[in-house]
Amino acid sequence: HAATPAALSLISSGTQFLGVPYRFGAPAGVTYAFDCSSFIQYVFKASGIKLPRTSVAQATAGKKVAKGYLSTGDLVFFNTGGAGISHVAIYAGNGKILHSSSTKGVTIASMNTTYWQSKYVTARRVL
């Protein structure tokens, strides 16, 4: 699907935070550190979309999207911890995700790696 202006704006605003460090449980609304879901919540709020604070709660927002139909700006959810959804990212197009990584902070990664492919759970469209 072609990226909408709103989706491109969302990715653009999110990439301003590349390199900001990861901190589990980072407070909502701060920009000196993010965990995965506080990053998502912050970026979407800047675009006028209110989302819950946790990745599990964010996975109930919007509507479900099949992996083959991902569009830029969709929320992508992963199980990185062994029990259900534990990580959220923004689909940035071309198989890439924009997210707050526990090892790299805010970064862009390929969703097509063995690691992310094996951890994929679901995706939601909120734009």
Side-chain angles (χ1 to χ4, degrees):
H1 289 59
T4 64
L8 293 173
S9 172
L10 185 85
I11 297 298
S12 176
S13 73
T15 57
Q16 294 175 46
F17 299 103
L18 288 172
V20 170
Y22 177 92
R23 180 184 299 165
F24 182 77
V30 304
T31 57
Y32 59 81
F34 294 107
D35 66 13
C36 66
S37 56
S38 73
F39 175 67
I40 300 303
Q41 186 185 46
Y42 187 90
V43 171
F44 275 81
K45 185 177 183 182
S47 292
I49 297 168
K50 191 170 163 72
L51 288 174
R53 172 65 184 82
T54 67
S55 56
V56 171
Q58 289 171 359
T60 65
K63 63 179 185 180
K64 187 176 168 76
V65 181
K67 192 175 184 182
Y69 292 93
L70 287 173
S71 275
T72 301
D74 287 346
L75 296 178
V76 189
F77 297 90
F78 301 92
N79 174 351
T80 58
I85 289 166
S86 56
H87 190 69
V88 59
I90 305 170
Y91 186 69
N94 299 320
K96 303 268 194 252
I97 53 173
L98 172 64
H99 67 125
S100 183
S101 154
S102 60
T103 55
K104 297 178 180 163
V106 177
T107 188
I108 294 173
S110 172
M111 220 173 94
N112 299 323
T113 64
T114 306
Y115 178 81
W116 289 115
Q117 293 231 344
S118 70
K119 306 293 185 189
Y120 179 86
V121 177
T122 190
R124 309 287 293 190
R125 184 160 298 153
V126 294
L127 284 179

